[in-house]
Amino acid sequence: MAKKFLTCHKGCTACCHSQVSVSRDEAELLAHKVIHEGVEIDLQKLYIQGNVENNPRAWFELPYNMRGCVFLAEDGACQVYEDRPAVCRTNNALSSPSQCDTRDGIEKPVRLLNTEKADMVVIASYEAAGEGGVLPNMLWKALGRLSEPRNTVTSKKVVKKSYLKRVKKDLSKIFEV
C-alpha cells in the first residue's frame, strides 16, 4: 500500500551518493561478488572513499561523482541489487527526490517510510556479524580477507548453521524486549 507513496524509483541515484553502513557479512557478500562473480568496481574510488572513514563531513566534501557507490553502474543501476545492503532495502523515501539530492554537499532532512521491524533485524544482523561500518571501509577489509589464501577449509554448512544460530538468538533477544 505504501509503495504508491514512495518517491524512490529505478534510475534515481540520490541515496547512492550517501554514506552507507554495512555489516561484516554484507561486506563479505559484496566482496565475493567482486572477487568470484566478476562485478567490476573502481578500486581507486573505493580507496578514496575509504580514506574518509566514518566522517560524514569529510564524505560530503568529496566531489559528488566520487561519492557514488562503487556498485553504481554508469546507467544508474545497482550492480548488486539482489544482494544490496539492508540499509539500501529499508530506506525508502516519501519526500521529494530533490530532498535526497546531495550534489551541493548538503544532506537534507528526508522523510523515510517507517520500517522499525526491519531496522531491528538490520541491527541484529550487525550484532551477529560482530562488526559494521561504512561500506568502503568494510568492503576494503573484506576484499583483503577474501583475497588471502586460506590454510584451512571450513565447511560452509557448519559456518552457515553457526551464523543462523547466532542470528536467531540475537533476534529472540530483541523481540523479547
Side-chain angles (χ1 to χ4, degrees):
M1 184 169 144
K3 196 171 187 174
K4 65 182 176 183
F5 298 107
L6 297 179
T7 58
C8 301
H9 60 278
K10 188 175 183 177
C12 177
T13 64
C15 62
C16 303
H17 290 79
S18 61
Q19 258 185 330
V20 172
S21 294
V22 297
S23 69
R24 178 183 172 126
D25 294 333
E26 289 174 313
E28 288 194 358
L29 172 65
L30 296 172
H32 184 274
K33 302 288 277 182
V34 171
I35 294 170
H36 300 291
E37 295 182 29
V39 173
E40 291 186 30
I41 62 170
D42 182 337
L43 290 174
Q44 182 180 9
K45 185 181 200 177
L46 179 65
Y47 179 78
I48 291 168
Q49 290 178 351
N51 280 329
V52 170
E53 296 180 352
N54 194 24
N55 183 337
R57 194 155 138 239
W59 177 263
F60 286 105
E61 288 174 358
L62 289 175
Y64 183 76
N65 66 330
M66 288 310 284
R67 284 189 267 133
C69 178
V70 294
F71 293 105
L72 188 60
E74 285 184 35
D75 66 357
C78 177
Q79 295 185 86
V80 292
Y81 187 81
E82 292 301 318
D83 297 308
R84 68 195 184 279
V87 72
C88 299
R89 295 171 186 273
T90 59
N91 282 351
N92 296 290
L94 297 169
S95 300
S96 162
S98 64
Q99 288 298 108
C100 301
D101 195 336
T102 61
R103 287 178 206 277
D104 57 7
I106 300 170
E107 195 171 22
K108 300 159 199 74
V110 177
R111 188 167 165 233
L112 298 175
L113 181 66
N114 185 342
T115 57
E116 286 178 9
K117 289 182 181 178
D119 293 343
M120 282 193 263
V121 172
V122 171
I123 292 166
S125 72
Y126 275 46
E127 186 67 32
E131 184 182 10
V134 293
L135 187 141
N137 290 347
M138 297 299 292
L139 180 58
W140 193 266
K141 289 178 191 177
L143 288 169
R145 278 192 304 274
L146 294 181
S147 297
E148 294 173 358
R150 292 186 172 194
N151 294 335
T152 59
V153 177
T154 308
S155 165
K156 286 182 182 181
K157 286 183 182 178
V158 172
V159 171
K160 192 173 186 178
K161 255 186 182 176
S162 153
Y163 170 72
L164 291 174
K165 211 177 210 181
R166 275 190 313 181
V167 169
K168 187 176 180 182
K169 181 181 171 189
D170 289 342
L171 286 173
S172 66
K173 282 181 190 175
I174 287 172
F175 289 109
E176 278 178 8
V177 179

